[in-house]
Amino acid sequence: MTSLSIAPIAVAFLFVIGSFLTLATGHVFAQDLAPSAIVELTTASGRTFRGTISPKSDFNTVHLTTSRGSIELSRPISWTAIRHLTINELPASFEKLATLITKVKSADDQPESTVDVITLGPPTTPRENEVAVQQKEAGPTTAPVSSVSSWATFKSWDSDPSVDGLEVTFTPEDLQGLPTAARGHVEAELYAFQKASFSSIPHGQGARFVKIGSWRIPLEQTFPRYDSRVARLPYQSISPATDGSISPLGTLVIKLVVPGQGTFSASMEDVRLRPYSSIRDSNVLRGNPRFYGDENPRYVP
């Protein structure tokens, strides 16, 4: 009799606990799916887009919105092109993305603020203050490469402040100058002036123009940045980051080798190889290290 009388109480207790857990789970789920949640989508072409969900999204096309001050960029992405997605930096399912779109649509009862809107993608009916720019997400992937554009700068990609190498951003372009996909590899060569004694190189006034680095990187080892690719070129045996005899500016030549299409070159002049610092430059010329103590443990005074 005692066990029978306790059983209903235990069942009721478990039901209450389950209800609380359900409510807590729903609360966390609702927090994750706030209309302002940050969504990151990776498409079949390997490109990654990041932003918030636009109320224009539906179950055929996802519209990601990114704000740049008073400018709002809206890019449509087909559901069938999505291969991976995250919401607030956490992996998410397509069902969760559909729920987020529903929430954004239901919350879209506020009057639109007056901003300049640039829509990237298939043209839609433009509003009065909207400029449509046609750039289909999957369109450029089949166009052959006609040229390559690029720019480069020094970069530190670890925990210390010293420069580790050059970061090159390059874009394969088709005949129309639009970004297109490419397969193959990129080759790079870096040239700079190296100081020497005037007597050893009198014709060069104590300096010679030498190659201080060369790289060959498959495109699979580069990473996407918007419509471009980024390659990191770590400094080699002659490092402009620590060698004061190397000029702070150099010339970088890159070649994009695409099998079946050809080799496409670009040359970048006056590429800065290290940050400007008159104190550090003078100290290096006196035979001292450029970085001290905990700044960079690889270079000890």
Side-chain angles (χ1 to χ4, degrees):
M1 294 295 292
T2 303
S3 60
L4 292 176
S5 60
I6 294 177
I9 299 175
V11 171
F13 178 77
L14 292 176
F15 179 79
V16 171
I17 294 297
S19 300
F20 276 114
L21 291 176
T22 302
L23 290 174
T25 304
H27 179 66
V28 173
F29 189 72
Q31 284 183 333
D32 289 342
L33 294 183
S36 59
I38 301 299
V39 177
E40 188 172 281
L41 303 178
T42 301
T43 64
S45 63
R47 298 158 67 189
T48 299
F49 306 99
R50 182 182 177 90
T52 57
I53 294 296
S54 168
K56 296 190 296 183
S57 301
D58 53 32
F59 299 107
N60 292 319
T61 306
V62 178
H63 291 261
L64 279 186
T65 300
T66 304
S67 297
R68 295 287 188 273
S70 62
I71 303 298
E72 185 177 272
L73 304 178
S74 178
R75 183 187 295 273
I77 302 172
S78 172
W79 277 76
T80 57
I82 301 174
R83 294 296 179 267
H84 182 265
L85 68 97
T86 63
I87 299 177
N88 288 336
E89 308 296 336
L90 297 176
S93 62
F94 285 89
E95 291 78 11
K96 195 169 184 178
L97 179 60
T99 304
L100 176 58
I101 291 176
T102 302
K103 281 183 172 290
V104 171
K105 283 181 170 294
S106 63
D108 187 34
D109 55 357
Q110 301 293 329
E112 291 187 9
S113 58
T114 304
V115 294
D116 296 326
V117 178
I118 299 177
T119 301
L120 301 178
T124 57
T125 303
R127 295 181 296 216
E128 182 179 355
N129 60 339
E130 184 177 74
V131 179
V133 178
Q134 184 175 0
Q135 181 178 336
K136 296 183 180 180
E137 195 280 326
T141 57
T142 57
V145 179
S146 177
S147 61
V148 59
S149 62
S150 60
W151 69 277
T153 185
F154 60 85
K155 190 76 172 181
S156 174
W157 48 74
D158 55 21
S159 58
D160 58 62
S162 65
V163 174
D164 294 301
L166 293 178
E167 187 173 87
V168 184
T169 303
F170 61 95
T171 307
E173 297 177 344
D174 60 15
L175 281 172
Q176 306 300 322
L178 297 176
T180 184
R183 296 185 180 275
H185 67 272
V186 61
E187 299 175 357
E189 293 181 341
L190 178 61
Y191 299 85
F193 282 102
Q194 185 178 40
K195 294 181 181 179
S197 63
F198 186 87
S199 59
S200 62
I201 316 177
H203 61 279
Q205 299 181 352
R208 53 190 173 189
F209 195 64
V210 295
K211 181 169 68 175
I212 62 174
S214 61
W215 302 264
R216 183 184 187 277
I217 303 175
L219 292 184
E220 291 80 5
Q221 295 181 12
T222 63
F223 55 92
R225 179 174 292 166
Y226 300 104
D227 291 325
S228 304
R229 305 293 301 182
V230 178
R232 286 177 172 173
L233 311 178
Y235 287 150
Q236 298 173 345
S237 57
I238 302 178
S239 174
T242 56
D243 191 342
S245 66
I246 301 298
S247 60
L249 301 176
T251 296
L252 182 66
V253 179
I254 70 166
K255 296 179 181 179
L256 177 63
V257 181
V258 183
Q261 298 185 28
T263 300
F264 308 90
S265 301
S267 179
M268 289 155 279
E269 308 294 340
D270 296 330
V271 176
R272 179 156 286 278
L273 307 180
R274 59 176 177 264
Y276 171 76
S277 172
S278 60
I279 295 178
R280 292 187 189 269
D281 289 344
S282 299
N283 205 31
V284 170
L285 292 176
R286 290 180 172 86
N288 298 315
R290 189 175 185 86
F291 299 94
Y292 290 94
D294 295 335
E295 279 191 317
N296 191 339
R298 291 179 294 178
Y299 303 99
V300 180

